[in-house]
Amino acid sequence: GPSGTEIERGRAPEHRVLLLPPTRRDAQAIRDVLDGNGIECERCEGMPALCSQLSEGAGAVLVSEEALAAEPECLLRWLGTQPVWSDVPIIVLSRSGSESQKLTRLLDQAGNVSVVERPVRVSTLLSVVRVALRGRARQYEVREYLKQIQTVQAERTALWESERAARAEAERAGRMKDEFLA
């Protein structure tokens, strides 16, 4: 069965890998490898579709260098709107032997990026994807912890307000009693 680092079918969209590979053939090969290892993935038809899917949640993004270089704006814009706990992992499939300055600048702007040179060995791809998903799972744990802290703080504030109101009411009742006795 799948280990703790692998994703079960049908889980929330935030645990899937979004794919924007260089070709349909690559997409199918990557999907076969990931699906065969219990990792849920979804192929996106272009960068706008990928950004739309990111808004629904993702464990990681696997994108070709070509797709990233062709239209990086929407991805960079989306990455800039992430909440404080979030740093979605991006795995870039680069062309063998290519070192473009544009890609280097994009990678610096994108943040949590791993670059894997094509052709990539299956074991390498699986390793990089699993590490990305494990890191993302930790981010989701931080998100839940932050939610718990917010809930506790809200409860504490409500208790404080309730206690303040009760004290004010007791003081008012005490003044009324003193006025009555006077």
Side-chain angles (χ1 to χ4, degrees), residues 79-110:
L79 291 172
T81 66
Q82 294 181 91
V84 68
W85 59 266
S86 180
D87 193 14
V88 70
I90 301 170
I91 302 161
V92 177
L93 298 172
S94 75
R95 291 178 298 210
S96 180
S98 73
E99 279 296 325
S100 110
Q101 284 185 326
K102 181 178 181 182
L103 179 64
T104 302
R105 280 194 308 277
L106 286 173
L107 298 180
D108 287 344
Q109 291 177 289

Side-chain angles (χ1 to χ4, degrees), residues 34-82:
L34 297 181
D35 281 349
N37 284 277
I39 300 170
E40 190 169 340
C41 60
E42 181 164 335
R43 181 174 178 271
C44 300
E45 288 294 332
M47 193 61 79
L50 182 125
C51 292
S52 173
Q53 289 296 318
L54 269 170
S55 298
E56 295 178 27
V61 171
L62 197 144
V63 61
S64 71
E65 172 184 353
E66 299 89 334
L68 182 59
E71 46 182 339
E73 298 81 17
C74 96
L75 180 60
L76 292 175
R77 196 169 36 254
W78 187 91
L79 291 172
T81 66
Q82 294 181 91

